Amino acid sequence: MTHDDARGGGPAGDAVALAAGLADIAVTTLGSAVSGLTGLLRRADLGELLAEGRQDTEARGRLLLGRYVGVPPAHLEILARSVLADGRLGGGAGD
């Protein structure tokens, strides 16, 4: 594959461009993570920082579980309660 083939469009060229873009993002992210990690290891308050990070992560996990795992109330039960609260349920056949 020549250099022009990668830019030529088509499915093969698009796949190569996509793979190259993903590789560039991965290398950039990895480089940033390594430099951030070396800076983190030099901190004196590393223990406190880790404890705060753990608390924040647990709080995010609880919020996520509450959002997606919580059982929603039954639709028909909500409808029945609203009908009873509004008084729309008549007692006789002539209502």
Side-chain angles (χ1 to χ4, degrees):
M1 176 181 279
T2 65
H3 188 64
D4 292 332
D5 290 340
R7 288 191 273 164
D14 291 344
V16 170
L18 179 63
L22 290 173
D24 183 48
I25 290 171
V27 168
T28 303
T29 303
L30 184 61
S32 298
V34 168
S35 65
L37 184 61
T38 56
L40 181 67
L41 291 175
R42 292 186 191 131
R43 293 184 63 124
D45 60 343
L46 183 61
E48 293 175 16
L49 191 64
L50 290 174
E52 289 177 13
R54 180 179 177 191
Q55 290 172 352
D56 289 346
T57 305
E58 287 176 359
R60 289 177 64 113
R62 278 189 231 105
L63 287 173
L64 181 74
L65 289 174
R67 187 180 313 141
Y68 293 110
V69 178
V71 178
H75 175 71
L76 291 177
E77 184 176 340
I78 293 172
L79 184 61
R81 287 181 184 178
S82 68
V83 168
L84 289 174
D86 289 343
R88 288 186 261 165
L89 193 61
D95 287 343

